Amino acid sequence: MKNWKFASFIEVDKEFRVQGLNIWNHYWHCYDRNVEVLHPTKHHQYRFKEYEIRTQEKSVNFVAGEFSDGQIGIFLRDELQEGIL
């Protein structure tokens, strides 16, 4: 099971990079599964979708969704919790 941690609030079309890739410059492949995440300050639970961006060099995954206050949140894999770091 993947662990996800809050990375940032983002604005539509404003540059945001995951592993060097600006997410707005690529097609987001949506996985048909919901991921439970917590709002970083209000601690309300949400169910957002997991997405993948693929290039010839690599693929990156992230979770994204809109909170009830209209902010868009991005969550990245928690590599420390998963023992990757």
Side-chain angles (χ1 to χ4, degrees):
M1 180 175 145
K2 293 181 183 176
N3 295 299
W4 299 93
K5 65 179 179 180
F6 177 75
S8 182
F9 292 112
I10 62 169
E11 296 177 34
V12 173
D13 294 332
K14 186 173 180 184
E15 183 177 285
F16 183 80
R17 294 186 176 274
V18 176
Q19 295 182 23
L21 300 176
N22 181 1
I23 64 173
W24 302 112
N25 291 343
H26 301 277
Y27 172 77
W28 297 14
H29 170 75
C30 181
Y31 287 99
D32 190 25
R33 64 177 161 259
N34 290 313
V35 176
E36 291 184 7
V37 296
L38 292 176
H39 189 287
T41 58
K42 299 177 183 174
H43 307 292
H44 298 143
Q45 189 173 47
Y46 289 84
R47 292 169 99 45
F48 290 163
K49 296 287 186 187
E50 180 181 350
Y51 297 92
E52 180 182 50
I53 293 173
R54 296 179 195 146
T55 67
Q56 290 182 350
E57 295 80 31
K58 61 182 159 184
S59 64
V60 295
N61 292 67
F62 58 94
V63 170
E66 186 174 347
F67 295 110
S68 60
D69 56 8
Q71 293 181 307
I72 299 171
I74 296 285
F75 293 79
L76 301 177
R77 287 181 67 185
D78 189 343
E79 295 176 339
L80 183 60
Q81 289 291 322
E82 294 180 22
I84 297 171
L85 291 179

